[in-house]
Amino acid sequence: MRHKIVAGNWKMNKNAEETEDLLNALIDKLPDNKEVEIIVAPTFINLASAVDHLEFTNIVVAAQNMHQSENGAYTGEISADMLKSVGVNTVILGHSERRSIFHETDAIIAYKVDKALQHQMRVIFCFGEELKDRQNKQHFNVVENQLRDGLFHLDKSAWESLVLAYEPVWAIGTGETASPEQAQEMHEFIRETIRKAYGSDIAESVSILYGGSVKPDNAKEIFSKPDVDGGLIGGAALKAEDFSAIVDAI
């Protein structure tokens, strides 16, 4: 049975003091609701302190990325083992900014997924089309290819450790938002694509989050759609009041 998730991706924001302040505000504002999983993803240097700070709360700490190798001469990179060693067991992979800015390919992301799963980590797998893909009516093909190339080599058992996050890239940081109907249309397509590859049990059990400029004023309508299981939140996750309102909306 799939469950509701609201995850906040803080990206390259918040120093150590600001991170502590935001975590304290979230602890005060967020409801202790066992029906909704709440995840925050601070920067790498604040992960360990965030894990300690949230130890006795229901808020989970995730990493924003990781490298696909165990160790080695990869200056500036972070491995799965390093994340696990500080208590981080969930990682965001394939985010649109990793794909577009850092040129991560589907093949690289697939390697990262494999490595995370080898270390018994949970993966929030991000994917989605750019504006040109939607304008050219290729958005369904792009999404299907990203799913196939990134995940469809996995055994059925691996899907217990996967959360999907659909990101219409044209609706991230642009002020644009896919309509609730557009979000539902794509989420339904994603679930049907998984059904064809892995069967109904997997398709109905995997949580699919929407990651396109979710805000307090549109969250309730988006989350009301039957195939939308929550959100991967960007800018609104940096304000405790906004993030808690989005959690309330689900």
Side-chain angles (χ1 to χ4, degrees), residues 29-224:
K29 288 181 176 295
L30 289 173
D32 187 15
N33 187 342
K34 298 294 191 297
E35 296 180 2
V36 180
E37 181 178 3
I38 300 167
I39 301 174
V40 295
T43 61
F44 279 132
I45 64 169
N46 293 317
L47 287 175
S49 62
V51 169
D52 290 343
H53 209 78
L54 299 172
E55 182 178 4
F56 299 108
T57 73
N58 65 331
I59 305 173
V60 175
V61 178
Q64 298 177 20
N65 186 41
M66 53 161 262
H67 197 269
Q68 63 268 30
S69 297
E70 287 286 349
N71 50 54
Y74 303 103
T75 300
E77 292 293 332
I78 304 292
S79 70
D81 182 62
M82 293 173 184
L83 295 176
K84 295 274 289 188
S85 72
V86 297
V88 174
N89 298 296
T90 299
V91 60
I92 300 169
L93 296 176
H95 192 278
S96 60
E97 291 157 3
R98 298 300 312 179
R99 293 174 185 266
S100 62
I101 299 172
F102 300 100
H103 309 295
E104 291 188 4
T105 64
D106 289 330
I108 290 173
I109 295 163
Y111 286 135
K112 290 188 176 192
V113 170
D114 291 347
K115 185 59 63 177
L117 294 176
Q118 287 171 17
H119 282 264
Q120 290 78 53
M121 297 186 74
R122 179 175 53 167
V123 172
I124 300 175
F125 179 85
C126 301
F127 58 100
E129 81 279 8
E130 297 182 9
L131 180 58
K132 61 179 174 57
D133 302 317
R134 185 163 280 268
Q135 289 174 333
N136 294 331
K137 302 188 184 305
Q138 293 298 309
H139 45 297
F140 292 121
N141 289 336
V142 169
V143 164
E144 183 175 1
N145 289 340
Q146 289 176 337
L147 286 170
R148 184 194 65 226
D149 295 344
L151 299 179
F152 282 9
H153 63 287
L154 298 171
D155 292 334
K156 280 189 174 183
S157 60
W159 283 79
E160 295 179 3
S161 300
L162 294 178
V163 174
L164 305 185
Y166 164 61
E167 303 180 289
V169 181
W170 49 274
I172 299 175
T174 63
E176 296 290 334
T177 306
S179 69
E181 291 72 26
Q182 286 174 311
Q184 167 58 22
E185 179 185 44
M186 183 59 84
H187 280 235
E188 184 178 16
F189 171 79
I190 292 163
R191 209 173 294 282
E192 183 58 28
T193 300
I194 296 166
R195 193 186 319 277
K196 290 176 181 176
Y198 286 95
S200 293
D201 288 349
I202 300 296
E204 292 302 324
S205 64
V206 65
S207 295
I208 307 175
L209 312 184
Y210 173 72
S213 295
V214 178
K215 299 178 176 64
D217 60 358
N218 64 21
K220 187 172 183 178
E221 190 175 6
I222 292 172
F223 293 160
S224 71

Side-chain angles (χ1 to χ4, degrees), residues 6-11 22 26 213-219 232-246:
V6 179
N9 178 15
W10 294 11
K11 306 188 181 183
L22 181 51
L26 291 175
S213 295
V214 178
K215 299 178 176 64
D217 60 358
N218 64 21
L232 178 61
I233 316 302
L238 300 175
K239 297 179 180 179
E241 185 172 343
D242 287 353
F243 191 65
S244 61
I246 291 170

